[in-house]
Amino acid sequence: MFEDIVTRENFYDAYRKTQKGKSKFKVDAIVFASNESINIEALRQELLSGIYSPSGYVEFSVFEPKERVIYAPRYRDKIVQHAINNVLRDFYEPKFIFDSYACIRGKGNLRAVSRARDFMQSASRIYSDPWIVKADVQKFFYSIDRRVLKEIVKRKIGCQRTTDLLFLIMDSTPTEKGLPLGNLTSQLMANVLMNEIDQYIKRRLGVRFYIRYADDLMMIVDGKAQASDILGCIRSFGRDVIHLTFPDRKCFIRPLRSKQGLEFLGYRIMPSRIGLTSSSRSRIIRRLAIYDRKISDGSISKDKVIESLVSWYSYASVARCEKFVKEACSRTRNIRFSESKFIVRSL
């Protein structure tokens, strides 16, 4: 496995992937690209000789939908992580359950939301008294116990040099516990850890309608008693086996046929329709107001505004929210929405 990670072809592919993002315009990326062949080979040789060490992180915070601390790796470390991910995702993804949707090729939040609605429709027909079980981990990435994760990794990966490299990156985390939210390998390792609870819920508890997106778990079972028992089992498994906490405020059971529906990944899902949650609506209204001010004072370009809004709408459009978006844009001076397109007034 390690031999596959350090091939020249894999390293060049990893390098090309880092060149697709905005990070390629940063100073360390430009310096690396100025002599890319020599720098790629030198980095590859560091891994082969065992002297490679992560170069530290750039720390910053993001605030939407909530504050999160991001530890972004240095450019050369991103190349290494892409090289690892290229190989390990082929190894791990076939081992995951079908209904795991975060950071997996061909999946994503839109597929998860559509699947959740399909499950609600099916459960309504099959179960006499369908109940939703919802569970979410407390500060997921920051609370991951690396000792537990390492034992899980060692059970599947028999290549010592690969596990040594993975553990080196894990332990480069600036904090005593958890994984850096900015690491590409953190996303894969989070799925590796949560696959333990996926398998428990599907194989041991026998839950038919179950979806996981990162640390967000949603399932539908027959009856209130079963829903309560399964939520208790999940919380016990989290506490005792994978050392993760499912707090009261992030867990609930609810009748599927209640008018509240299910809030999942920024949507309010009902068996018959998908809508945006009130918090998702509030966020886009705030974002439009900010962009409107920046357009007026010239501190943001028209193209950047459109790029951001189009990206958001590709996420939100599954909720059929055209009317809401059009009305929200009409409250601004400079932004309009027509025929699924954003139009920004040129100053």
Side-chain angles (χ1 to χ4, degrees):
M1 184 176 285
F2 183 78
E3 289 74 15
D4 294 331
I5 292 172
V6 296
T7 63
R8 287 187 175 88
E9 294 78 9
N10 189 42
F11 256 71
Y12 270 94
D13 181 69
Y15 169 69
R16 285 192 293 270
K17 286 176 177 174
T18 64
Q19 288 288 297
K20 292 179 181 179
K22 294 180 181 179
S23 61
K24 70 180 180 181
F25 299 113
K26 295 184 178 179
V27 173
D28 53 353
I30 294 170
V31 171
F32 192 98
S34 66
N35 207 349
E36 64 181 49
S37 296
I38 291 176
N39 288 328
I40 290 170
E41 184 60 21
L43 183 57
R44 196 177 76 87
Q45 289 299 326
E46 285 186 31
L47 268 72
L48 283 166
S49 62
I51 64 171
Y52 168 76
S53 180
S55 307
Y57 295 86
V58 177
E59 180 182 345
F60 60 94
S61 295
V62 295
F63 296 90
E64 192 171 316
K66 58 187 177 182
E67 183 177 6
R68 294 177 294 167
V69 179
I70 307 296
Y71 295 103
R74 303 290 180 176
Y75 182 73
R76 66 197 308 273
D77 298 326
K78 291 180 181 179
I79 297 172
V80 172
Q81 290 186 32
H82 273 287
I84 295 169
N85 195 62
N86 283 348
V87 174
L88 289 191
R89 67 180 183 176
D90 288 339
F91 175 78
Y92 270 117
E93 285 183 3
K95 297 175 172 56
F96 297 151
I97 65 169
F98 179 83
D99 287 305
S100 174
Y101 287 89
C103 304
I104 296 176
R105 289 168 290 184
K107 299 294 182 70
N109 60 356
L110 296 185
R111 286 182 179 270
V113 169
S114 295
R115 184 73 161 170
R117 181 187 57 187
D118 292 344
F119 278 179
M120 293 171 89
Q121 292 172 347
S122 297
S124 295
R125 293 192 301 268
I126 295 170
Y127 295 153
S128 60
D129 184 25
W131 278 65
I132 295 168
V133 180
K134 184 75 164 49
D136 202 344
V137 177
Q138 172 94 13
K139 297 183 178 179
F140 178 45
F141 276 93
Y142 309 112
S143 64
I144 289 174
D145 188 327
R146 296 199 292 269
R147 293 171 301 176
V148 172
L149 178 55
K150 288 176 183 178
E151 290 301 316
I152 294 169
V153 169
K154 285 191 289 188
R155 291 204 305 262
K156 296 292 185 182
I157 297 180
C159 175
Q160 183 70 47
R161 296 191 75 181
T162 299
T163 56
D164 286 347
L165 178 57
L166 267 176
F167 298 167
L168 177 68
I169 293 171
M170 285 185 202
D171 291 334
S172 69
T173 306
T175 55
E176 291 184 5
K177 197 173 185 180
L179 296 176
L181 197 50
N183 272 357
L184 181 62
T185 52
S186 294
Q187 299 169 3
L188 176 61
M189 289 297 101
N191 273 331
V192 170
L193 177 64
M194 294 301 287
N195 184 57
E196 298 294 301
I197 200 165
D198 293 343
Q199 299 296 336
Y200 173 71
I201 291 170
K202 293 293 291 184
R203 314 305 170 205
R204 292 284 300 278
L205 300 182
V207 176
R208 178 177 179 179
F209 300 114
Y210 168 66
I211 291 172
R212 180 179 62 81
Y213 189 94
D215 63 321
D216 208 343
L217 284 58
M218 171 268 179
M219 64 213 77
I220 307 170
V221 298
D222 196 8
K224 181 178 181 180
Q226 187 179 13
S228 181
D229 288 345
I230 284 176
L231 180 55
C233 289
I234 290 170
R235 297 177 76 176
S236 296
F237 186 91
R239 181 188 65 242
D240 300 333
V241 180
I242 56 176
H243 296 184
L244 292 174
T245 301
F246 291 90
D248 289 342
R249 63 186 180 82
K250 291 195 158 192
C251 301
F252 64 80
I253 62 172
R254 177 184 299 161
L256 173 60
R257 298 188 177 108
S258 72
K259 294 181 180 180
Q260 291 175 280
L262 170 69
E263 287 193 11
F264 187 53
L265 304 179
Y267 300 91
R268 184 174 298 281
I269 308 171
M270 309 289 285
S272 59
R273 63 181 177 84
I274 299 172
L276 293 176
T277 63
S278 56
S279 58
S280 293
R281 289 170 177 261
S282 296
R283 279 198 298 273
I284 189 58
I285 289 171
R286 288 196 299 270
R287 184 181 298 184
L288 285 167
I290 291 170
Y291 284 157
D292 196 37
R293 289 196 300 270
K294 288 186 174 182
I295 292 167
S296 295
D297 64 25
S299 62
I300 193 170
S301 70
K302 171 183 173 180
D303 289 343
K304 189 166 185 179
V305 170
I306 292 176
E307 179 186 1
S308 176
L309 293 176
V310 167
S311 176
W312 174 84
Y313 189 68
S314 68
Y315 150 83
S317 58
V318 70
R320 298 184 179 179
C321 54
E322 296 91 343
K323 182 179 179 181
F324 159 72
V325 176
K326 186 174 182 178
E327 290 177 353
C329 289
S330 69
R331 299 173 195 155
T332 70
R333 291 180 57 195
N334 302 295
I335 306 169
R336 293 295 179 268
F337 183 78
S338 176
E339 298 180 352
S340 298
K341 292 182 180 179
F342 288 95
I343 302 163
V344 176
R345 183 169 69 91
S346 298
L347 298 178

